[in-house]
């Protein structure tokens, strides 16, 4: 019984470190996060950070998996059968982009450091399920009438690429003298970009 308070304290300290890492990523992006800054943010000794997470990569991987889990709300849009498939997909992508924009550099880091983030094939498999891949394919199938699985996968990859690449480029850019992020700072809002993409990509499937 005497060990319970200590165990609880250990759990609280570990969560405190993870929460501080998530906050730093949200506030400043991945690149500026260091173990010293994390320990200062969490108000714990640096040795304790190393004790619980062993390395910066392990800690960042856990923090980013935590951030990814917060995207579940966006995927719920794919399950709203009261909406037409086109509207489900648009709502999902807009909400997903909104989450990415809250965390500077996360989109690029997810691509650059995917082996670190996932940690193992098993964890990658779990992540793929979280991404609701089949829900996306089902919405595309319902919207287009396409039954060929390979073509549906190509559509999905092209759709994600067209939507997410501007987000990645925007989050990686540096503001210019006018406070804009280069050419991407002059693009329409991301919601408008999604609407424009759907109007052009799926126009032949309109009734």
């Amino acid at each position: 019984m005497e060990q319970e308070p200590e165990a609880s304290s250990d759990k609280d300290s570990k969560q405190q470190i993870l929460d501080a890492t998530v906050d730093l990523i949200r506030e400043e992006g991945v690149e500026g996060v260091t173990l010293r800054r994390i320990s200062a943010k969490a108000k714990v000794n640096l040795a304790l950070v190393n004790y619980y997470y062993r390395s910066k990569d392990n800690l960042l991987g856990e923090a980013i998996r935590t951030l990814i889990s917060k995207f579940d709300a966006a995927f719920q849009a794919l399950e709203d059968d009261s909406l037409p498939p086109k509207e489900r997909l648009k709502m999902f992508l807009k909400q997903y982009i909104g989450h990415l924009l809250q965390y500077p550099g996360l989109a690029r880091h997810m691509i650059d450091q995917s082996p670190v983030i996932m940690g193992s094939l098993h964890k990658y498999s779990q992540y793929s399920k979280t991404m609701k891949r089949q829900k996306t394919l089902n919405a595309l199938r319902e919207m287009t009438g396409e039954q060929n699985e390979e073509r549906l996968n190509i559509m999905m990859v092209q759709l994600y690429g067209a939507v997410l690449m501007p987000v990645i480029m925007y989050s990686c850019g540096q503001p210019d003298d006018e406070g804009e992020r280069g050419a991407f700072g002059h693009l329409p809002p991301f919601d408008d970009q999604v609407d424009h993409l759907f109007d052009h990509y799926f126009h032949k499937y309109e009734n």
Side-chain angles (χ1 to χ4, degrees):
M1 296 295 293
E2 294 179 357
Q3 294 180 348
E4 289 183 2
E6 182 179 350
S8 176
S9 176
D10 286 347
K11 184 177 180 180
D12 290 345
S13 295
K14 187 174 183 180
Q15 186 62 47
Q16 194 172 333
I17 293 167
L18 181 60
D19 291 343
T21 307
V22 170
D23 286 344
L24 281 173
I25 292 174
R26 185 181 63 246
E27 293 166 4
E28 304 178 26
V30 176
E31 300 304 323
V33 176
T34 66
L35 291 182
R36 290 189 180 280
R37 296 191 67 191
I38 291 169
S39 66
K41 181 85 170 177
K43 298 180 180 179
V44 300
N45 190 285
L46 179 60
L48 203 57
V49 179
N50 286 311
Y51 171 76
Y52 284 126
Y53 291 98
R54 305 300 179 185
S55 73
K56 177 183 173 181
D57 284 345
N58 287 341
L59 179 51
L60 285 180
E62 186 63 31
I64 292 174
R65 283 192 290 272
T66 299
L67 289 171
I68 290 172
S69 70
K70 297 179 184 297
F71 285 44
D72 281 348
F75 289 106
Q76 289 176 7
L78 292 173
E79 302 176 5
D80 188 353
D81 293 333
S82 67
L83 295 174
K86 181 177 180 180
E87 295 307 313
R88 293 203 301 269
L89 270 175
K90 287 171 67 172
M91 182 179 296
F92 154 66
L93 288 170
K94 289 177 180 181
Q95 292 182 9
Y96 192 84
I97 289 171
H99 285 301
L100 284 177
L101 291 174
Q102 291 179 34
Y103 306 100
L106 176 59
R108 182 168 65 87
H109 194 78
M110 286 167 64
I111 295 174
D112 290 347
Q113 302 294 328
S114 57
V116 172
I117 294 168
M118 303 313 165
S120 70
L121 289 177
H122 174 64
K123 289 178 180 177
Y124 182 81
S125 175
Q126 290 179 322
Y127 171 72
S128 296
K129 291 178 182 177
T130 302
M131 292 292 285
K132 304 295 192 301
R133 173 179 172 276
Q134 198 58 49
K135 290 288 185 181
T136 305
L137 291 176
N138 288 344
L140 283 169
R141 182 181 293 108
E142 185 180 348
M143 182 170 57
T144 64
E146 178 62 65
Q147 298 302 317
N148 184 286
E149 195 77 8
E150 183 176 353
R151 290 179 181 175
L152 287 170
N153 274 294
I154 290 173
M155 284 186 191
M156 182 175 67
V157 170
Q158 291 177 339
L159 191 61
Y160 279 130
V163 169
L164 296 181
M165 186 53 68
V167 179
I168 295 170
M169 297 300 293
Y170 181 87
S171 66
C172 295
Q174 296 296 324
D176 60 22
D177 292 339
E178 298 177 357
E180 301 281 4
R181 291 177 180 259
F184 287 92
H186 299 285
L187 288 175
F190 284 102
D191 282 6
D192 292 347
Q193 292 183 46
V194 172
D195 290 335
H196 182 79
L197 172 66
F198 272 65
D199 288 343
H200 283 264
Y201 193 88
F202 296 110
H203 70 91
K204 70 178 183 179
Y205 300 107
E206 299 289 343
N207 295 327

